[in-house]
């Protein structure tokens, strides 16, 4: 397990302040904004959000664990998303996952010990015609050939 | 600068239309997800810069009172369809389609074509059949037989420009609808026979009418842009490429059912769609097309864009509404339909992106125009995303009733590397696989359902002899097992068990009675699940079991995967007669299991091999064989 860095509660507070206090329907939206600022959802942040919106803590955690967009553990600098949508699946995406597992030493949902890379799998990113597709942070890598992905990602 | 009423809209359209007519050359750079991934934005920037450098009268926006004579208009459009050979640059009026355009080719385009009036041959599409270069969309088989309604503006209007949409006639349909009685609008949609493009095919007009007759002091209009089918991107293209059309469709609906609040729910994997829709909503607000007294009428209507959280089940109507309310997206039993009690328990119309995108044309051109294409029970056209092991991949729109053969072998150009066709998957995780004997099936809602598949949202995934039907069924079950919200037992436990049974087959441990068990359990899940996710979850396995039973039997009886996909029962070897010793497979092998020198036959070390199939994927000589 990687040690979680301390949470900057000021940063959390700044995000909360963008929303109306006590307005429960903003929960998903607020957590999404927290996630994009901090890149994951620390327990303290979820607690603060629940209190702020006056949502029971268990509902807040249930939302945070229900949606795939949320991560409750810290993630690496570069999020490597391998598309495993149908088109990518049949055009060789499983090989890409294999390449990353061997090249970076981590499988889906895992982060390298140096916190550089997190590998994730997603279902379709809307570029099916270019399958298989990998997204490294915001960069789309199309038509990934076997044996090439690790080098492409490491070279940035 | 607002548009206060119909007159002002018409005046603005006329001025923009004139500006559009003055444009001498129009360069459309595709910025759909595919082309953008391949570098379209850089190409666009370079085109603008180089053209300016060459002294050409460049415009990047339509200018009604532009100073330039014979301007060159360079715009970014949504998806132009043929994603596979992007980035695409389409030049009008000469209909020149440049493909695979890199920044390095921009100089040539500017000097030779835009300034010199010549065609750059090497950037044209090369027909794989006879290696001839084809100049424009009119000549390329991929575009032949297509008819664009929902995708009409996608790939032609500038995606982030209200002016461009208005110039092409945008919002004239809204102006017309606002002059009509709400009841008349609904009647027109009813007469058009438009059926929901989100999967179910429910008649849209009827849905709108039941919303009006439901009791409630407030009504909502929601656009479903969750597009959960993994392997489909039609809605993504429409939202990114022609966001104003969706908004116009929603406002017309709001007028028809008497709503003042709308939402567009977009999945979070589509960041550009969120961005473009949000921008479009804001622009409409600034121009008086959303907000109070739209176009001088009594209609007030606002739209908010909500992001999804990455859960397939949130595409289901009741779960989606829960999600917008800020809760966990769990569906509820539909004893009372959501059109009567939906968002915040009020009457709610929920329609798919493509459904809304069809509405403006129906109102403008009339229901007869719409019903003149398509089949009797499924009028109009349908967008499909044609992907998988097919030569031409991309986004298409065809009249309903077009045969699968025309799509796969006509527009699609057949199977990659000339391999044998095996199946087309339609309907995503709720659909099924149709084989060779269904190729002449006319594609519409009812024909697909009768054949054991489903229209779904429009994914069409082509499979060849190297796709294993057991693996495909297992793939969808795994997807659904992970996406099941867990509320009802048949779906939560049943799909899990179905997946376990298929996993057993793929490991070569299946027993003859397993196939009957799979069938029985599948049918039970279909009838007893709470929502559409569970009800349709067994479809992929049941349809493949029906249409490709021999493949299942090979897994059970011979412990063999004919397609060479299921790892536990497949071994890869190299055919010494075919191997040329090119080193390609050796370099591609993730666990380094292949040995061999250049120009010598390669050998796979079976102890190291993980059966991932990378070698077979890259071998150009068909030298990697499976048992
Ligand atoms: C599990 C599940 C997922 C769904 N996903 C979507 C989706 O991603 N997009 C969509 O438009 N409809 C989806 N639907 C269908 C919607 O529930 C609803 O029928 C549709 O949005 C209505 O719009 P339409 O009548 O215009 O098709 C889904 C249904 C189920 C059961
Ligand atoms: S299946 Fe991978 S992008 Fe759609």
């Amino acid at each position: 397990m990687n040690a979680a860095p301390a949470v900057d509660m000021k940063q959390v507070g700044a995000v909360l302040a963008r929303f109306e206090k006590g307005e429960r329907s903003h929960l998903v939206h607020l957590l999404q904004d927290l996630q994009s600022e901090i890149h994951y959802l620390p327990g303290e942040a979820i607690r603060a959000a629940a209190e702020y919106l006056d949502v029971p803590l268990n509902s807040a955690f249930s939302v945070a664990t229900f949606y795939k967009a949320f991560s409750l553990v810290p993630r690496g600098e570069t999020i490597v998303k391998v598309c495993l949508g149908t088109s990518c699946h049949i055009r060789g995406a499983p090989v890409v996952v294999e390449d990353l597992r061997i090249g970076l030493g981590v499988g889906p949902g895992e982060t390298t010990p140096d916190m550089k890379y997190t590998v994730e799998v997603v279902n379709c990113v809307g570029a099916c015609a270019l399958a298989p597709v990998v997204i490294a942070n915001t960069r789309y890598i199309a038509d990934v050939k076997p044996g090439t992905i690790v080098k492409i990602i490491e070279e940035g | 600068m607002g548009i206060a009423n119909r007159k002002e809209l018409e005046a603005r359209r006329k001025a923009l239309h004139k500006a559009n007519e003055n444009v001498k050359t129009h360069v459309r750079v595709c910025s759909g997800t595919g082309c953008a991934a391949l570098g379209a934005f850089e190409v666009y920037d370079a085109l603008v810069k180089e053209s300016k450098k060459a002294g050409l009268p460049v415009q990047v926006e339509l200018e009604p009172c532009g100073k330039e004579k014979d301007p060159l208009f360079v715009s970014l459009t949504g998806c132009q369809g043929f994603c596979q050979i992007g980035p695409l640059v389409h030049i009008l009026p000469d209909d020149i389609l440049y493909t695979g355009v890199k920044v390095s080719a921009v100089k040539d385009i500017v000097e030779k074509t835009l300034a010199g009036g010549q065609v750059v041959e090497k950037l044209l599409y090369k027909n794989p059949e006879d290696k001839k270069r084809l100049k424009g969309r009119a000549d390329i088989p991929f575009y032949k037989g297509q008819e664009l309604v929902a995708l009409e503006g996608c790939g032609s209007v500038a995606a982030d420009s209200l002016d461009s949409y208005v110039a092409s006639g945008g919002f004239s349909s809204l102006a017309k609808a606002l002059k009509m009685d709400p009841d008349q609008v609904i009647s027109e949609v009813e007469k058009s026979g438009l059926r929901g493009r989100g999967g179910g095919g429910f008649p849209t007009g009827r849905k709108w009418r039941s919303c009006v007759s439901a009791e409630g002091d407030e009504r909502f209009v929601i656009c479903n842009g969750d597009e959960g089918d993994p392997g489909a991107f039609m809605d993504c293209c429409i939202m990114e490429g022609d966001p104003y059309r969706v908004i116009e469709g929603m406002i017309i609906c709001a007028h028809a059912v008497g709503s003042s609040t709308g939402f567009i729910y977009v999945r979070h994997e589509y960041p550009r769609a969120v961005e473009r829709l949000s921008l479009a909503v804001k622009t409409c607000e600034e121009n008086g097309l959303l907000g109070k007294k739209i176009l001088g009428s009594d209609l007030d209507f606002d739209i908010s864009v909500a992001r999804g959280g990455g859960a397939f089940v949130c595409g289901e109507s009741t779960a989606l509404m829960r999600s917008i309310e800020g809760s966990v997206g769990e569906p509820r039993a539909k004893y009372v339909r959501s059109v009567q009690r939906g968002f915040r328990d009020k009457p709610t119309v929920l329609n798919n992106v493509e459904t809304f995108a069809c509405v403006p044309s129906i109102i403008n051109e009339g229901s007869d125009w719409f019903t003149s294409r398509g089949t009797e029970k499924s009028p109009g056209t349908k967008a499909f995303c044609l992907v998988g092991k097919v030569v031409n991949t991309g986004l298409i729109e065809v009249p309903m009733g077009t045969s699968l053969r025309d799509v796969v072998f006509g527009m699609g150009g057949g199977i990659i590397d000339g391999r044998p066709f095996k199946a087309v998957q339609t309907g995503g995780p709720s659909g099924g696989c149709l084989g060779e004997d269904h190729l002449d099936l006319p594609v519409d809602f009812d024909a697909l359902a009768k054949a054991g598949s489903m229209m779904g949202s429009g994914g069409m995934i082509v499979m060849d002899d190297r796709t294993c039907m057991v693996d495909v069924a297992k793939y969808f079950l795994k997807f659904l097992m992970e996406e099941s919200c867990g509320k009802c037992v048949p779906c939560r436990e049943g799909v899990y068990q179905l997946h376990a049974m298929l996993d057993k087959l793929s490991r070569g441990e299946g027993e003859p009675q397993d196939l009957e068990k799979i069938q029985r359990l599948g049918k039970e899940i279909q009838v007893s699940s709470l929502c559409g996710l569970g009800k349709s979850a067994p479809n992929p396995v049941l349809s493949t079991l029906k249409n490709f039973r021999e493949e299942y039997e090979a897994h059970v009886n011979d412990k063999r995967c004919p397609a060479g996909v299921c790892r536990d029962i497949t071994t890869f070897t190299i055919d010494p007669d075919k191997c040329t010793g090119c080193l390609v497979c050796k370099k591609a092998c993730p666990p380094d299991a292949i040995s061999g020198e250049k120009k010598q036959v390669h050998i796979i070390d079976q102890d190291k091999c993980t059966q991932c199939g990378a070698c077979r994927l890259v071998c150009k000589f068909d030298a990697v064989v499976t048992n």
Side-chain angles (χ1 to χ4, degrees):
Chain A
M1 231 355 254
N2 306 304
V7 182
D8 179 356
M9 289 313 281
K10 248 204 191 133
Q11 194 183 9
V12 173
V15 176
L16 294 184
R18 287 185 227 150
F19 293 84
E20 199 181 322
K21 206 168 154 69
E23 178 53 56
R24 292 177 177 209
S25 67
H26 288 160
L27 183 59
V28 176
H29 197 162
L30 196 162
L31 293 180
Q32 277 168 337
D33 282 10
L34 280 173
Q35 162 101 17
S36 29
E37 293 265 325
I38 320 176
H39 306 296
Y40 81 108
L41 291 179
E44 294 97 305
I46 300 177
R47 227 162 271 137
E51 223 164 82
Y52 186 83
L53 295 181
D54 192 21
V55 177
L57 190 56
N58 77 336
S59 312
F61 267 96
S62 122
V63 165
T65 49
F66 180 83
Y67 293 102
K68 276 224 280 307
F70 301 130
S71 166
L72 270 62
V73 290
R75 302 190 297 168
E77 250 168 73
T78 305
I79 315 279
V80 182
K81 287 190 190 151
V82 185
C83 176
L84 276 187
T86 321
S87 178
C88 291
H89 176 79
I90 68 165
R91 293 228 313 213
V95 176
V96 178
V97 175
E98 195 80 15
D99 274 333
L100 289 168
R101 194 193 299 278
I102 290 173
L104 298 178
V106 287
E110 294 171 358
T111 302
T112 54
D114 61 2
M115 296 301 286
K116 263 196 153 151
Y117 302 103
T118 298
V119 174
E120 288 182 353
V121 294
V122 293
N123 292 308
C124 194
V125 295
C128 321
L130 309 175
V133 182
V134 171
I135 307 180
N137 284 344
T138 53
R139 172 175 164 226
Y140 286 68
I141 308 161
D143 198 5
V144 179
K145 298 270 188 285
T148 59
I149 188 64
V150 174
K151 197 155 167 242
I152 297 177
I153 286 173
E154 285 180 344
E155 282 170 2
Chain B
M1 183 178 48
I3 303 175
N5 52 43
R6 285 200 295 271
K7 247 200 199 135
E8 283 185 33
L9 175 71
E10 192 47 28
R12 181 131 158 210
R13 193 190 64 75
K14 275 200 180 128
L16 288 164
H17 189 72
K18 192 135 179 282
N20 213 3
E21 277 189 336
N22 286 339
V23 167
K24 180 149 173 270
T25 314
H26 186 173
V27 182
R28 293 170 174 168
V29 182
C30 176
S31 69
T33 311
C35 286
L38 296 169
F41 286 100
E42 292 77 10
V43 168
Y44 171 81
D45 289 342
L47 261 169
V48 173
K49 201 171 128 214
E50 284 293 327
S51 306
K52 278 188 185 154
K53 227 162 83 189
L56 298 171
V58 183
Q59 277 183 1
V60 291
E61 258 163 66
L62 280 178
E63 291 171 25
C65 347
K67 291 177 267 321
E68 304 279 10
K69 204 171 154 283
D70 294 341
L72 165 74
F73 181 35
V74 188
S75 67
L76 275 170
T77 72
C79 181
Q80 297 181 4
F82 210 167
C83 316
Q84 184 192 359
I85 49 166
L88 301 174
V89 174
H90 192 202
I91 301 173
L92 294 163
D94 294 339
D95 187 23
I96 304 172
L97 184 68
Y98 287 143
T99 61
V101 179
K102 301 249 155 45
V103 171
S104 56
V106 165
K107 212 160 169 229
D108 251 10
I109 297 180
V110 172
E111 281 171 8
K112 298 217 173 94
T113 310
L114 302 181
Q118 296 161 350
V119 174
V120 185
E121 281 284 325
K122 65 171 192 237
L123 292 175
L124 295 178
Y125 170 70
K126 185 150 89 182
N127 194 5
E129 260 172 40
D130 52 10
K131 311 274 176 250
K132 277 213 185 92
R133 300 276 178 183
L134 302 175
K135 184 176 136 240
R137 282 169 66 142
D139 315 307
I140 299 176
F142 178 78
Y143 288 103
K144 279 191 189 152
Q146 291 204 42
E147 203 169 328
L148 309 184
V149 176
L151 299 179
E152 188 193 339
C154 193
S156 60
V157 301
D160 52 7
S161 159
L162 174 63
D163 280 349
S164 176
Y165 183 62
V166 170
S168 74
F171 289 106
S172 57
S173 171
L174 173 65
K176 185 172 169 190
L178 288 175
K179 265 197 296 189
M180 291 159 71
D181 196 52
D183 191 68
Q184 257 180 314
V185 175
I186 297 181
S187 294
E188 201 61 31
V189 176
E190 273 173 336
K191 272 193 281 174
S192 77
L194 174 66
R195 295 171 67 173
R197 300 316 198 215
F202 191 84
T204 305
R206 204 193 303 162
K207 188 184 275 184
W208 293 12
R209 188 165 305 279
S210 10
C211 179
V212 173
S213 53
E215 275 201 33
D217 48 357
E218 211 181 351
R219 281 161 228 282
F220 294 98
V221 173
I222 302 181
C223 173
N224 189 345
D226 196 45
E227 195 157 55
D229 176 354
F233 57 94
M234 304 76 46
D235 296 348
C236 176
C237 291
I238 299 175
M239 291 185 287
E240 282 184 12
D242 202 6
Y244 293 98
R245 184 176 306 266
V246 181
I247 293 172
E248 185 175 2
M250 288 179 71
I251 307 175
I252 293 172
C253 175
H255 168 60
V257 304
S259 161
S260 57
T261 312
F263 294 90
I264 308 178
Y265 187 85
V266 191
R267 73 196 289 242
H268 86 294
E269 286 90 341
Y270 293 165
R272 194 169 295 124
V274 173
E275 194 184 301
R276 292 239 172 100
L277 277 170
S278 306
L279 178 71
V281 166
K282 192 163 148 259
T283 313
C284 284
E285 283 165 358
E286 287 162 4
N287 283 277
L289 291 162
L290 282 172
K292 297 258 176 274
K293 301 214 170 296
I294 294 171
L295 289 182
S297 71
D298 286 333
L299 178 67
D300 301 342
F301 187 59
D302 288 301
I303 293 180
S304 324
V305 178
R307 274 177 299 163
F312 174 66
V313 73
C314 286
E316 196 274 346
S317 48
T318 56
L320 184 147
M321 292 172 197
R322 301 284 294 140
S323 180
I324 303 182
E325 288 165 7
S327 308
V328 165
E330 279 179 358
R332 62 162 173 80
K334 288 198 218 159
Y335 307 116
V336 184
R337 286 183 301 127
S338 57
V339 64
Q340 283 156 333
R341 276 182 57 190
F343 183 68
R344 295 196 191 133
D345 285 339
K346 306 280 170 157
T348 305
V349 168
L350 173 80
N351 276 128
N352 167 262
V353 170
E354 194 184 330
T355 314
F356 279 123
C358 288
V359 170
S361 305
I362 291 173
I363 297 298
N364 244 347
E365 315 278 343
S367 52
D368 292 343
W369 170 86
F370 193 72
T371 50
S372 69
R373 51 218 76 207
T375 59
E376 195 197 333
K377 295 268 171 62
S378 306
T381 55
K382 176 80 191 79
F384 289 100
C385 94
L386 181 62
V387 294
K389 307 259 184 95
V390 62
V391 175
N392 304 328
T393 56
L395 178 71
I396 59 169
E397 184 170 358
V398 292
M400 295 270 194
T402 306
S403 76
L404 281 175
R405 189 184 300 280
D406 284 347
V407 173
V408 176
F409 291 92
M411 292 151 213
I415 309 297
I416 295 181
D417 296 334
R419 303 203 67 85
F421 165 88
K422 186 186 274 181
V424 183
Q425 208 280 343
T426 65
S430 320
C433 292
L434 301 173
E436 186 93 47
D437 42 342
H438 283 114
L439 270 177
D440 292 306
L441 198 75
V443 179
D444 72 10
F445 285 103
D446 310 301
L448 284 174
K450 218 173 129 207
S453 186
M454 193 175 142
M455 173 75 87
S457 53
M460 210 178 254
I461 298 158
V462 180
M463 302 174 174
D464 66 358
D465 62 330
R466 285 180 175 177
T467 318
C468 168
M469 291 296 119
V470 176
D471 177 70
V472 167
K474 189 175 109 176
Y475 164 81
F476 281 121
L477 284 172
K478 175 155 184 280
F479 172 81
L480 292 162
M481 178 175 84
E482 284 166 3
E483 295 294 343
S484 169
C485 73
K487 187 166 170 176
C488 76
V489 180
C491 175
R492 185 181 66 228
E493 300 299 334
V495 175
Y496 179 86
Q497 284 305 333
L498 262 188
H499 177 264
M501 282 155 123
L502 280 184
D503 193 45
K504 191 173 150 200
L505 298 195
S506 73
R507 278 184 280 114
E509 293 163 12
E511 297 158 71
Q513 66 272 25
D514 282 345
L515 299 186
E516 300 325 308
K517 276 196 202 158
I518 289 173
Q519 217 152 9
R520 207 159 3 117
L521 178 58
K523 293 210 170 115
E524 274 162 24
I525 298 172
Q526 280 180 330
V527 293
S528 55
S529 293
L530 177 70
C531 84
L533 192 154
K535 283 191 209 307
S536 61
N539 291 1
V541 48
L542 294 181
S543 82
T544 46
L545 191 54
K546 181 161 162 254
N547 294 334
F548 301 90
R549 197 174 174 100
E550 47 326 316
E551 217 172 315
Y552 277 82
E553 283 167 353
H555 282 74
V556 176
N557 302 335
D558 314 337
K559 314 291 176 214
R560 193 175 73 84
C561 174
V565 174
C566 297
R567 292 184 177 199
D568 295 291
I569 48 174
T570 299
T571 46
F572 290 86
T573 43
I574 293 176
D575 181 346
D577 295 336
K578 286 192 181 156
C579 178
T580 62
C582 70
L583 297 177
V584 168
C585 63
K586 189 178 165 184
K587 282 187 202 135
C589 178
D592 266 334
I594 300 179
S595 58
E597 298 302 313
K598 202 170 170 155
K599 299 220 168 115
Q600 280 172 16
V601 171
H602 299 349
I603 294 169
I604 302 178
D605 180 345
Q606 297 299 333
D607 289 338
K608 280 195 196 164
C609 177
T610 60
Q611 290 85 30
C612 70
C615 47
R616 188 173 68 161
L617 214 56
V618 294
C619 181
K620 291 197 178 61
F621 308 98
D622 233 352
V624 179
V625 288
T626 56
N627 53 323

